[in-house]
Amino acid sequence: MMESEVPLCNTCGEKLGVNANGEVFMACQQCHFPICKSCVEDEINEGRSVCLRCGTPYQESAMDQGHTEISSGQSPASAQPTNPQDLGIHARHVSTVSTVDSELNDESGNPIWKNRVESWKEKDKKKKKKKAKDESKAEKEAPEVPAEQHMEGIQPSSTEAAEPLSTIVPISKTKLAPYRFIIIMRLIIVGLFFHYRVTNPVESAFGLWMTSVICEIWFAFSWVLDQFPKWCPIDRVTYIDRLSARYEREGEPSQLAAVDFFVSTVDPLKEPPLITANTVLSILAVDYPVDKVSCYVSDDGAAMLTFESLVETAEFARKWVPFCKKFQIEPRAPEFYFSQKIDYLRDKVQPSFVKERRAMKREYEEYKVRVNAMVAKAQKTPDEGWTMQDGTPWPGNNSRDHPGMIQVFLGHSGAHDIEGIELPRLVYVSREKRPGYQHHKKAGAENALVRVSAVLTNAPFILNLDCDHYLNNSQCIREAMCFLMDPEVGRDVCYVQFPQRFDGIDRSDRYANRNTVFFDVNMKGLDGIQGPVYVGTGCVFNRQALYGYSPPSMPNLPRSSGCCCCPSKKKSKDVSEVYRDAKREELDAAIFNLREIDNYDEYERSMLISQMSFEKTFGLSSVFIESTLMENGGVPESVNPSTLIKEAIHVISCGYEEKTEWGKEIGWIYGSVTEDILTGFKMHCRGWRSIYCMPLRPAFKGSAPINLSDRLHQVLRWALGSVEIFLSRHCPLWYGYGGGRLKWLQRMAYINTIVYPFTSLPLIAYCTLPAICLLTGKFIIPTLSNLASVLFLGLFLSIIITSVLELRWSGVSIEDLWRNEQFWVIGGVSAHLFAVFQGFLKMLAGVDTNFTVTAKAADDAEFGELYIIKWTTLLIPPTTLIIINMVGVVAGFSDALNGGYESWGPLFGKVFFAFWVIFHLYPFLKGLMGRQNRTPTIVVLWSVLLASVFSLIWVKINPFVSKVDSATLSQSCISIDC
């Protein structure tokens, strides 16, 4: 009993000595912090002469006194603090005084928390020395082990495991060298062409000529922005077998990194729960260690239908997941697996497969009936709102005013599958919403999932998917890990982007829904620079990159890397990023050493986090902040598991992000409806690189809007987001120059992503010029000389050869290229034009206009929706262009018939340009005509009216054609025949 009361040094663990008066040695007379004299002397020798706990300077008189060991019988009262309550009061005082932006310093200016860190490090060193002595003593006492047994215990890794997990396959020089040569030649020809155009004006139609030259200059600028980022395209090859050999050795636990899946949904009536359920089921059945997978479903509409469908999905997953893994079926989304029109017996030799497949299909049909019954019931909401099975009201009856909700299905503490094997964790999340708060739509929902997953599972990697994008390749995560877990490649990789592939599109792909040129040409080119842009879904993130940290191999930015032309008076956001990078390692070490202290408590950890200014960045959650310091993931050991759900509810509260960096520097970035482009751009500006992964079997497949109206509405949203970024502080034209981490070709690609909607203005003008030329008899090009003919021929040939060589190295078909070209014109004269005006109205005048689409039912079976035309304002401009160009062609041929033989030559040039417009708008025209004459009458009426008004005004004003002075005309008249 007497020995247990002897105080021990809080640094080295040894007993405190006594001074010459026989009293226990106390260096600090203020708080009586127990520390021996030798440890105090070490502190003073290192320049720290203040108490580690309260910061009070040590008294010299106490240091000069003698020092002897305390016997087991001594127990002086002075060894204990005079008032035990003082220590608690002092601790509470420090906790409240330590603010986000300040640190407690001692008299010499050193932060107190640094003193604690140093003391913990000293203690750690002494423990290691003691442990090393014990090990050496044990080795001496242990019998000698033969050398043969030593070799058996340390087996070298296999050659396959030591090899790289991926390789870069550059495009063949025989394909790339001619491609680059033609690009340079085309650039030279374009320069000569503009020299000719500018030096040879058309005096008789000066206005038309000037308009055409301005449009052509913009088209050339757009071509440069689009072409040169494709200068260094590459392919990549992954080796999944090497990944398994390195991280999944037989007889050992899997060392593969954990992955948190994010699935986002809002309205179950527009995004059918059955589609979301198929995405979730494909995730739960992924070919990856079960304990490494967690699926988070964000229900931003707080719909009870979504929650109930997830309950049914979790139950069905107990049967579906073991079936998928037993027979290795692909894809693992039941709706798309059972709808395949292939021989499902191919490569399946198990006799029981046919019987089990039929039984599983029957189970799935019954599951669909239950889910569809829920959907039918949810069509009409009761007046009193929805109620749960226990009779309590559903918390999300008001989708704009409800508390945060979290429900954990399956997982470690949930149900197992029918074979008793553990299933991946499935978590339903609906963040809190209250009136008066800005919720930031999808970007805000994704950031809420980042915080929830960090508290509950904290996987080092995150994969986000739209609710209609299911896993088509069960090994897609392993494909991504071949980059992210490669020590040579993965350190500076912020995300791995997969291409988007789609189901339910007809073979002709009339409206370029597949976006093949973008995903198979442009993204390959960006992969050879700094990496592909983030496209919103099918992307595996490094969680640390989402937290706004710089890459590990990059030095901290010396100054702000933000806007170079408009320096802010306040502390730059990038300076705060550098501050976090600099402090993070010290805080991580501090908390790690803190866990080893016997009397460690939550107060110490919270105080450290607060003093390091992390709360201002990440919010008021010490559990979440500590999780951000764990680069390899995992829930902090210091956290009480029983409080995790409560903490998860706290981090999804609607006011959590206030006065933090969420949406500004960390997480998904706010400020645009296309938050994906903005988020990826910020990461690339910090020095991260991304990787494009194109496995032979597409990783993910989704549902594309295949009818014309929905497609235009989708393109409108993308273009509007680009205009918003253009008008924001994150515009690539001026943002991110300070650090020099964004490569110039990468910046050029980002500039192209935000200026392309403005091409709609010159495109509208250029598509109108042929009709004007045919109606007025004028032309934008003067009589061609031999040199001019060569330039025009060279320009057209260079355009054709560039396209052919691009198809050669990319593998894209000529039909895909032509469809992309057609829809570039269709979208440019409709959705992009509206996006420009809507963007300026929204950003400058605060007016938010929406172009709504009214849905109608389809009667046709397969691809029936392709022929539906829904009323939308976006249809009017292209319809008007088609009508006026057709009218112009008719008028031109009429004038040629009346004008005689000489008028046919100039007509061909005008008609060529008019047909260029009509051919590019042909899919639009075919969509309008469709089947069974389904074109909305209002579209035709508005288009005819606008075309007629335009023609009448043109005939009256005739602005672009040079006027003939009547006086000059009368003087030139000599005979009555004039």
PDB file of all heavy atoms in Angstrom, residues 39-63:
ATOM      1  N   CYS A  39      14.741  14.063 -15.771  1.00  0.00           N
ATOM      2  CA  CYS A  39      13.927  14.446 -16.935  1.00  0.00           C
ATOM      3  C   CYS A  39      13.837  15.964 -17.057  1.00  0.00           C
ATOM      4  O   CYS A  39      13.834  16.511 -18.162  1.00  0.00           O
ATOM      5  CB  CYS A  39      12.528  13.847 -16.827  1.00  0.00           C
ATOM      6  SG  CYS A  39      12.479  12.051 -17.018  1.00  0.00           S
ATOM      7  N   VAL A  40      13.782  16.650 -15.862  1.00  0.00           N
ATOM      8  CA  VAL A  40      13.744  18.112 -15.900  1.00  0.00           C
ATOM      9  C   VAL A  40      15.050  18.658 -16.469  1.00  0.00           C
ATOM     10  O   VAL A  40      15.052  19.604 -17.275  1.00  0.00           O
ATOM     11  CB  VAL A  40      13.480  18.674 -14.488  1.00  0.00           C
ATOM     12  CG1 VAL A  40      13.616  20.188 -14.483  1.00  0.00           C
ATOM     13  CG2 VAL A  40      12.102  18.261 -14.009  1.00  0.00           C
ATOM     14  N   GLU A  41      16.178  18.052 -16.052  1.00  0.00           N
ATOM     15  CA  GLU A  41      17.467  18.508 -16.575  1.00  0.00           C
ATOM     16  C   GLU A  41      17.546  18.314 -18.083  1.00  0.00           C
ATOM     17  O   GLU A  41      18.087  19.159 -18.816  1.00  0.00           O
ATOM     18  CB  GLU A  41      18.598  17.760 -15.872  1.00  0.00           C
ATOM     19  CG  GLU A  41      18.757  18.146 -14.408  1.00  0.00           C
ATOM     20  CD  GLU A  41      19.797  17.296 -13.700  1.00  0.00           C
ATOM     21  OE1 GLU A  41      20.243  16.292 -14.310  1.00  0.00           O
ATOM     22  OE2 GLU A  41      20.153  17.622 -12.553  1.00  0.00           O
ATOM     23  N   ASP A  42      17.000  17.200 -18.574  1.00  0.00           N
ATOM     24  CA  ASP A  42      16.985  16.986 -20.028  1.00  0.00           C
ATOM     25  C   ASP A  42      16.152  18.053 -20.729  1.00  0.00           C
ATOM     26  O   ASP A  42      16.524  18.539 -21.812  1.00  0.00           O
ATOM     27  CB  ASP A  42      16.417  15.601 -20.342  1.00  0.00           C
ATOM     28  CG  ASP A  42      17.343  14.486 -19.888  1.00  0.00           C
ATOM     29  OD1 ASP A  42      18.547  14.766 -19.702  1.00  0.00           O
ATOM     30  OD2 ASP A  42      16.868  13.344 -19.705  1.00  0.00           O
ATOM     31  N   GLU A  43      15.023  18.413 -20.082  1.00  0.00           N
ATOM     32  CA  GLU A  43      14.180  19.444 -20.682  1.00  0.00           C
ATOM     33  C   GLU A  43      14.921  20.781 -20.758  1.00  0.00           C
ATOM     34  O   GLU A  43      14.869  21.483 -21.777  1.00  0.00           O
ATOM     35  CB  GLU A  43      12.894  19.626 -19.864  1.00  0.00           C
ATOM     36  CG  GLU A  43      11.935  18.443 -19.916  1.00  0.00           C
ATOM     37  CD  GLU A  43      11.243  18.340 -21.264  1.00  0.00           C
ATOM     38  OE1 GLU A  43      10.828  19.385 -21.793  1.00  0.00           O
ATOM     39  OE2 GLU A  43      11.148  17.223 -21.797  1.00  0.00           O
ATOM     40  N   ILE A  44      15.630  21.126 -19.659  1.00  0.00           N
ATOM     41  CA  ILE A  44      16.345  22.409 -19.619  1.00  0.00           C
ATOM     42  C   ILE A  44      17.483  22.416 -20.616  1.00  0.00           C
ATOM     43  O   ILE A  44      17.735  23.424 -21.293  1.00  0.00           O
ATOM     44  CB  ILE A  44      16.841  22.684 -18.182  1.00  0.00           C
ATOM     45  CG1 ILE A  44      15.641  22.874 -17.247  1.00  0.00           C
ATOM     46  CG2 ILE A  44      17.750  23.910 -18.151  1.00  0.00           C
ATOM     47  CD1 ILE A  44      16.024  23.029 -15.796  1.00  0.00           C
ATOM     48  N   ASN A  45      18.188  21.298 -20.748  1.00  0.00           N
ATOM     49  CA  ASN A  45      19.293  21.222 -21.711  1.00  0.00           C
ATOM     50  C   ASN A  45      18.813  21.410 -23.141  1.00  0.00           C
ATOM     51  O   ASN A  45      19.565  21.892 -23.996  1.00  0.00           O
ATOM     52  CB  ASN A  45      20.018  19.882 -21.574  1.00  0.00           C
ATOM     53  CG  ASN A  45      20.746  19.757 -20.241  1.00  0.00           C
ATOM     54  OD1 ASN A  45      21.123  20.776 -19.645  1.00  0.00           O
ATOM     55  ND2 ASN A  45      20.944  18.527 -19.778  1.00  0.00           N
ATOM     56  N   GLU A  46      17.575  21.044 -23.408  1.00  0.00           N
ATOM     57  CA  GLU A  46      17.011  21.193 -24.753  1.00  0.00           C
ATOM     58  C   GLU A  46      16.295  22.529 -24.933  1.00  0.00           C
ATOM     59  O   GLU A  46      15.622  22.751 -25.946  1.00  0.00           O
ATOM     60  CB  GLU A  46      16.042  20.043 -25.047  1.00  0.00           C
ATOM     61  CG  GLU A  46      16.742  18.693 -25.114  1.00  0.00           C
ATOM     62  CD  GLU A  46      15.763  17.565 -25.401  1.00  0.00           C
ATOM     63  OE1 GLU A  46      14.584  17.864 -25.695  1.00  0.00           O
ATOM     64  OE2 GLU A  46      16.175  16.397 -25.332  1.00  0.00           O
ATOM     65  N   GLY A  47      16.423  23.424 -23.961  1.00  0.00           N
ATOM     66  CA  GLY A  47      15.872  24.762 -24.123  1.00  0.00           C
ATOM     67  C   GLY A  47      14.450  24.934 -23.654  1.00  0.00           C
ATOM     68  O   GLY A  47      13.820  25.949 -23.954  1.00  0.00           O
ATOM     69  N   ARG A  48      13.929  23.965 -22.897  1.00  0.00           N
ATOM     70  CA  ARG A  48      12.556  24.083 -22.397  1.00  0.00           C
ATOM     71  C   ARG A  48      12.594  24.131 -20.872  1.00  0.00           C
ATOM     72  O   ARG A  48      12.868  23.121 -20.225  1.00  0.00           O
ATOM     73  CB  ARG A  48      11.713  22.897 -22.878  1.00  0.00           C
ATOM     74  CG  ARG A  48      11.529  22.858 -24.378  1.00  0.00           C
ATOM     75  CD  ARG A  48      10.622  21.701 -24.785  1.00  0.00           C
ATOM     76  NE  ARG A  48      11.214  20.416 -24.451  1.00  0.00           N
ATOM     77  CZ  ARG A  48      12.042  19.744 -25.253  1.00  0.00           C
ATOM     78  NH1 ARG A  48      12.371  20.247 -26.422  1.00  0.00           N
ATOM     79  NH2 ARG A  48      12.530  18.577 -24.886  1.00  0.00           N
ATOM     80  N   SER A  49      12.336  25.298 -20.303  1.00  0.00           N
ATOM     81  CA  SER A  49      12.457  25.473 -18.854  1.00  0.00           C
ATOM     82  C   SER A  49      11.112  25.766 -18.216  1.00  0.00           C
ATOM     83  O   SER A  49      11.038  26.490 -17.231  1.00  0.00           O
ATOM     84  CB  SER A  49      13.437  26.618 -18.553  1.00  0.00           C
ATOM     85  OG  SER A  49      12.967  27.819 -19.155  1.00  0.00           O
ATOM     86  N   VAL A  50      10.037  25.246 -18.790  1.00  0.00           N
ATOM     87  CA  VAL A  50       8.705  25.466 -18.233  1.00  0.00           C
ATOM     88  C   VAL A  50       8.033  24.126 -18.015  1.00  0.00           C
ATOM     89  O   VAL A  50       8.404  23.108 -18.601  1.00  0.00           O
ATOM     90  CB  VAL A  50       7.843  26.338 -19.175  1.00  0.00           C
ATOM     91  CG1 VAL A  50       8.413  27.729 -19.292  1.00  0.00           C
ATOM     92  CG2 VAL A  50       7.716  25.689 -20.534  1.00  0.00           C
ATOM     93  N   CYS A  51       7.037  24.128 -17.149  1.00  0.00           N
ATOM     94  CA  CYS A  51       6.289  22.913 -16.837  1.00  0.00           C
ATOM     95  C   CYS A  51       5.565  22.406 -18.080  1.00  0.00           C
ATOM     96  O   CYS A  51       4.986  23.186 -18.843  1.00  0.00           O
ATOM     97  CB  CYS A  51       5.291  23.198 -15.713  1.00  0.00           C
ATOM     98  SG  CYS A  51       4.234  21.785 -15.303  1.00  0.00           S
ATOM     99  N   LEU A  52       5.564  21.099 -18.262  1.00  0.00           N
ATOM    100  CA  LEU A  52       4.927  20.509 -19.435  1.00  0.00           C
ATOM    101  C   LEU A  52       3.412  20.608 -19.380  1.00  0.00           C
ATOM    102  O   LEU A  52       2.749  20.533 -20.402  1.00  0.00           O
ATOM    103  CB  LEU A  52       5.330  19.035 -19.550  1.00  0.00           C
ATOM    104  CG  LEU A  52       6.821  18.765 -19.772  1.00  0.00           C
ATOM    105  CD1 LEU A  52       7.090  17.281 -19.773  1.00  0.00           C
ATOM    106  CD2 LEU A  52       7.284  19.399 -21.063  1.00  0.00           C
ATOM    107  N   ARG A  53       2.863  20.759 -18.156  1.00  0.00           N
ATOM    108  CA  ARG A  53       1.404  20.779 -18.029  1.00  0.00           C
ATOM    109  C   ARG A  53       0.857  22.204 -18.021  1.00  0.00           C
ATOM    110  O   ARG A  53      -0.048  22.524 -18.782  1.00  0.00           O
ATOM    111  CB  ARG A  53       0.972  20.049 -16.760  1.00  0.00           C
ATOM    112  CG  ARG A  53      -0.507  20.195 -16.443  1.00  0.00           C
ATOM    113  CD  ARG A  53      -0.927  19.309 -15.279  1.00  0.00           C
ATOM    114  NE  ARG A  53      -0.991  17.912 -15.671  1.00  0.00           N
ATOM    115  CZ  ARG A  53      -1.167  16.900 -14.820  1.00  0.00           C
ATOM    116  NH1 ARG A  53      -1.262  17.148 -13.531  1.00  0.00           N
ATOM    117  NH2 ARG A  53      -1.212  15.662 -15.244  1.00  0.00           N
ATOM    118  N   CYS A  54       1.380  23.064 -17.175  1.00  0.00           N
ATOM    119  CA  CYS A  54       0.777  24.382 -17.016  1.00  0.00           C
ATOM    120  C   CYS A  54       1.612  25.505 -17.600  1.00  0.00           C
ATOM    121  O   CYS A  54       1.133  26.633 -17.728  1.00  0.00           O
ATOM    122  CB  CYS A  54       0.498  24.684 -15.545  1.00  0.00           C
ATOM    123  SG  CYS A  54       2.014  24.830 -14.557  1.00  0.00           S
ATOM    124  N   GLY A  55       2.858  25.253 -17.984  1.00  0.00           N
ATOM    125  CA  GLY A  55       3.683  26.297 -18.585  1.00  0.00           C
ATOM    126  C   GLY A  55       4.371  27.205 -17.598  1.00  0.00           C
ATOM    127  O   GLY A  55       4.976  28.201 -17.996  1.00  0.00           O
ATOM    128  N   THR A  56       4.311  26.897 -16.288  1.00  0.00           N
ATOM    129  CA  THR A  56       4.957  27.730 -15.269  1.00  0.00           C
ATOM    130  C   THR A  56       6.464  27.470 -15.275  1.00  0.00           C
ATOM    131  O   THR A  56       6.883  26.305 -15.295  1.00  0.00           O
ATOM    132  CB  THR A  56       4.389  27.422 -13.878  1.00  0.00           C
ATOM    133  OG1 THR A  56       2.975  27.616 -13.907  1.00  0.00           O
ATOM    134  CG2 THR A  56       5.020  28.323 -12.826  1.00  0.00           C
ATOM    135  N   PRO A  57       7.309  28.516 -15.260  1.00  0.00           N
ATOM    136  CA  PRO A  57       8.777  28.301 -15.266  1.00  0.00           C
ATOM    137  C   PRO A  57       9.221  27.539 -14.016  1.00  0.00           C
ATOM    138  O   PRO A  57       8.691  27.736 -12.916  1.00  0.00           O
ATOM    139  CB  PRO A  57       9.341  29.729 -15.280  1.00  0.00           C
ATOM    140  CG  PRO A  57       8.222  30.578 -15.818  1.00  0.00           C
ATOM    141  CD  PRO A  57       6.960  29.941 -15.340  1.00  0.00           C
ATOM    142  N   TYR A  58      10.220  26.668 -14.193  1.00  0.00           N
ATOM    143  CA  TYR A  58      10.781  25.933 -13.066  1.00  0.00           C
ATOM    144  C   TYR A  58      11.578  26.878 -12.167  1.00  0.00           C
ATOM    145  O   TYR A  58      12.256  27.792 -12.651  1.00  0.00           O
ATOM    146  CB  TYR A  58      11.690  24.809 -13.555  1.00  0.00           C
ATOM    147  CG  TYR A  58      10.974  23.722 -14.326  1.00  0.00           C
ATOM    148  CD1 TYR A  58      11.484  23.256 -15.533  1.00  0.00           C
ATOM    149  CD2 TYR A  58       9.800  23.155 -13.829  1.00  0.00           C
ATOM    150  CE1 TYR A  58      10.847  22.254 -16.229  1.00  0.00           C
ATOM    151  CE2 TYR A  58       9.147  22.150 -14.528  1.00  0.00           C
ATOM    152  CZ  TYR A  58       9.673  21.702 -15.727  1.00  0.00           C
ATOM    153  OH  TYR A  58       9.033  20.716 -16.403  1.00  0.00           O
ATOM    154  N   GLN A  59      11.511  26.640 -10.820  1.00  0.00           N
ATOM    155  CA  GLN A  59      12.243  27.467  -9.871  1.00  0.00           C
ATOM    156  C   GLN A  59      13.659  26.928  -9.710  1.00  0.00           C
ATOM    157  O   GLN A  59      13.859  25.713  -9.576  1.00  0.00           O
ATOM    158  CB  GLN A  59      11.542  27.482  -8.510  1.00  0.00           C
ATOM    159  CG  GLN A  59      10.151  28.120  -8.555  1.00  0.00           C
ATOM    160  CD  GLN A  59       9.495  28.130  -7.190  1.00  0.00           C
ATOM    161  OE1 GLN A  59      10.101  27.729  -6.199  1.00  0.00           O
ATOM    162  NE2 GLN A  59       8.249  28.600  -7.160  1.00  0.00           N
ATOM    163  N   GLU A  60      14.649  27.857  -9.715  1.00  0.00           N
ATOM    164  CA  GLU A  60      16.047  27.435  -9.608  1.00  0.00           C
ATOM    165  C   GLU A  60      16.340  26.809  -8.253  1.00  0.00           C
ATOM    166  O   GLU A  60      17.162  25.911  -8.136  1.00  0.00           O
ATOM    167  CB  GLU A  60      16.967  28.642  -9.825  1.00  0.00           C
ATOM    168  CG  GLU A  60      16.855  29.209 -11.231  1.00  0.00           C
ATOM    169  CD  GLU A  60      17.820  30.363 -11.436  1.00  0.00           C
ATOM    170  OE1 GLU A  60      18.584  30.660 -10.490  1.00  0.00           O
ATOM    171  OE2 GLU A  60      17.813  30.952 -12.537  1.00  0.00           O
ATOM    172  N   SER A  61      15.654  27.286  -7.209  1.00  0.00           N
ATOM    173  CA  SER A  61      15.905  26.729  -5.871  1.00  0.00           C
ATOM    174  C   SER A  61      15.545  25.260  -5.813  1.00  0.00           C
ATOM    175  O   SER A  61      16.217  24.465  -5.154  1.00  0.00           O
ATOM    176  CB  SER A  61      15.100  27.506  -4.820  1.00  0.00           C
ATOM    177  OG  SER A  61      13.706  27.457  -5.141  1.00  0.00           O
ATOM    178  N   ALA A  62      14.492  24.904  -6.495  1.00  0.00           N
ATOM    179  CA  ALA A  62      14.084  23.494  -6.507  1.00  0.00           C
ATOM    180  C   ALA A  62      15.087  22.652  -7.257  1.00  0.00           C
ATOM    181  O   ALA A  62      15.318  21.491  -6.915  1.00  0.00           O
ATOM    182  CB  ALA A  62      12.687  23.362  -7.133  1.00  0.00           C
ATOM    183  N   MET A  63      15.715  23.258  -8.301  1.00  0.00           N
ATOM    184  CA  MET A  63      16.660  22.491  -9.097  1.00  0.00           C
ATOM    185  C   MET A  63      17.982  22.303  -8.378  1.00  0.00           C
ATOM    186  O   MET A  63      18.691  21.321  -8.611  1.00  0.00           O
ATOM    187  CB  MET A  63      16.900  23.217 -10.437  1.00  0.00           C
ATOM    188  CG  MET A  63      15.648  23.360 -11.283  1.00  0.00           C
ATOM    189  SD  MET A  63      14.945  21.755 -11.709  1.00  0.00           S
ATOM    190  CE  MET A  63      16.327  20.992 -12.507  1.00  0.00           C
TER     191      MET A  63
END
